[in-house]
Amino acid sequence: MFARATSHPAAARFPFETARIQLAHGIRLRHARERIAARPILAHAAETFERLGATSWAERASAELRIDGATPLVSASHLSLTWQERRIADLAASGLTNKEIGARLHLSPRTVSSHLYRIFPKLGVTTRAALRDAMNRPDHVSASND
């Protein structure tokens, strides 16, 4: 069920819900003593919550990683994005146009474009496809206690 939920075509449009599913699955794996399998899932959930500004959820996912003995390495590129830039980057990565993003966030398409102009160099990307990959890649966690 986890694989079906996270690979569903609409999953990218619902990053918060997808991260909640990842958190629950990571906790289940950790409880089943499958620590190595749990770490990247929990790290990705923590990064997604952080990117979305869901601080308490990010702390919960990070706590699960710490319980397992892993230390999440925070991506410096994601830290350099403002909260608004993270929201715009996430929506752009999900395939929405500047006009659609602007409608959702009550911004003009030109303002969205301006934000993306600043986001791309911060993440080291030049296309929306690369943006999607940069926003969806899981954080790397240290391999201590493997």
Side-chain angles (χ1 to χ4, degrees):
M1 296 302 287
F2 171 74
R4 285 182 59 199
T6 56
S7 66
H8 191 277
R13 292 192 332 230
F14 301 99
F16 181 78
E17 289 77 9
T18 303
R20 285 186 59 196
I21 291 167
Q22 290 171 329
L23 175 60
H25 186 63
I27 291 169
R28 190 200 65 75
L29 288 173
R30 190 179 61 75
H31 284 252
R33 301 190 193 291
E34 296 182 37
R35 296 182 352 226
I36 294 171
R39 287 179 183 174
I41 294 168
L42 290 169
H44 190 262
E47 187 276 333
T48 301
F49 289 135
E50 185 68 32
R51 193 170 16 117
L52 295 172
T55 309
S56 61
W57 286 95
E59 289 171 2
R60 171 75 192 274
S62 293
E64 291 294 331
L65 279 168
R66 282 191 302 277
I67 289 168
D68 191 36
T71 305
L73 299 176
V74 180
S75 169
S77 60
H78 285 303
L79 285 179
S80 66
L81 296 180
T82 66
W83 178 78
Q84 182 80 342
E85 287 172 340
R86 282 186 231 152
R87 288 179 63 199
I88 290 169
D90 194 46
L91 291 171
S94 71
L96 297 179
T97 65
N98 289 1
K99 188 174 182 178
E100 292 168 331
I101 295 168
R104 282 193 184 189
L105 301 180
H106 306 289
L107 300 170
S108 75
R110 191 169 180 169
T111 300
V112 172
S113 178
S114 175
H115 279 289
L116 288 171
Y117 180 79
R118 288 189 301 274
I119 292 168
F120 278 36
K122 287 181 180 181
L123 296 178
V125 299
T126 56
T127 65
R128 284 184 184 245
L131 175 65
R132 181 189 66 236
D133 294 341
M135 297 302 287
N136 290 328
R137 77 177 152 239
D139 276 345
H140 300 286
V141 291
S142 69
S144 63
N145 297 339
D146 277 351

